[in-house]
């Protein structure tokens, strides 16, 4: 399908694909006449670009950036790829190049495991307050990124705000083995991982 305007559809994705192809072939593709087929879905891409634009427009303040990648859950194929707010003003592809906190990426799996196990429901509250975790002869005092505690927060709020301490509390209540086993179903961890 033709792109919705004169600009290239999914410019961040196109750059990524070209970079990957050039690395694989060991040479530049410029003027080489290659045709590359991808799994990108035009309708999903347009919807993803709109979602990023509308989501960022709802936020006040600085010129924030965002990234969105949509994968087919069965095959892992890329359906949509938005690397930033405006390709014309920032070529930095945040899908491919931005550093993310692993814990924040993993939190949805902790809460999903807890909901599936019946430990919590989305509207339930959990304490965002200091907790001391003992493991063996060691102790860990988890803290939130902003170094503050909010008191009681809903499960929804804890996940949306990526609060570390409520997530630790929910994971302990669910059981670390249950969280690990849940994540293993998505090939995120080895089911034998300690």
């Amino acid at each position: 399908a033709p792109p919705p305007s004169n600009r290239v559809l999914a410019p961040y994705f196109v750059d990524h694909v070209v970079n990957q192809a050039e690395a694989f072939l060991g040479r530049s593709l410029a003027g080489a006449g290659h045709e590359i087929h991808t799994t990108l879905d035009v309708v999903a891409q347009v919807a993803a670009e709109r979602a990023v634009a509308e989501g960022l427009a709802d936020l006040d303040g600085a010129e924030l950036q965002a990234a969105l990648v949509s994968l087919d859950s069965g095959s892992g194929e890329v359906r949509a790829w938005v690397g930033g707010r405006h390709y014309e003003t920032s070529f930095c592809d945040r899908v491919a190049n931005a550093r993310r906190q692993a814990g924040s990426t993993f939190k949805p799996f902790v809460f999903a495991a807890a909901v599936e196990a019946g430990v919590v429901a989305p509207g339930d509250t959990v304490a965002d307050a200091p907790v001391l975790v003992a493991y063996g002869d060691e102790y860990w005092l988890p803290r939130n990124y902003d170094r503050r505690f909010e008191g009681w927060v809903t499960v929804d709020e804890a996940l949306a705000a990526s609060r570390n301490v409520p997530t630790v509390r929910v994971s302990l209540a669910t059981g670390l083995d249950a969280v690990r086993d849940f994540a293993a179903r998505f090939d995120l961890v080895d089911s034998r991982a300690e």
Side-chain angles (χ1 to χ4, degrees), residues 34-122:
H34 291 288
E35 186 173 296
I36 299 173
H37 296 264
T38 72
T39 58
L40 195 81
D41 179 299
V42 173
V43 174
Q45 179 65 30
V46 170
E49 290 179 5
R50 185 179 314 112
V52 167
E54 290 173 0
L56 290 174
D58 289 342
L59 301 173
D60 294 328
E63 180 75 7
L64 299 174
Q65 288 290 345
L68 185 155
V69 63
S70 175
L71 306 175
D72 181 285
S73 61
S75 66
E77 295 172 341
V78 173
R79 297 299 183 213
W81 182 295
V82 182
R85 185 179 202 139
H86 300 293
Y87 182 80
E88 298 77 20
T89 58
S90 175
F91 301 122
C92 176
D93 181 355
R94 286 148 191 92
V95 171
N97 301 317
R99 302 286 182 203
R100 292 167 192 79
Q101 292 290 336
S104 295
T105 304
F106 193 75
K107 282 183 181 92
F109 295 94
V110 171
F111 286 104
V115 168
E116 182 178 84
V119 173
V120 295

Side-chain angles (χ1 to χ4, degrees), residues 120-138:
V120 295
D124 289 351
T125 57
V126 62
D128 184 6
V131 61
L132 185 64
V133 180
Y135 57 99
D137 294 336
E138 303 285 326

Side-chain angles (χ1 to χ4, degrees), residues 11-12 19 24 33 43 50 87 106 125 132 141 144 158-159 165 176-178 183 187 191 193:
Y12 293 102
N19 291 338
F24 178 77
V43 174
R50 185 179 314 112
Y87 182 80
F106 193 75
T125 57
L132 185 64
L141 185 63
N144 294 311
L159 179 57
V165 176
L176 299 181
D177 289 342
D187 291 330
S191 61

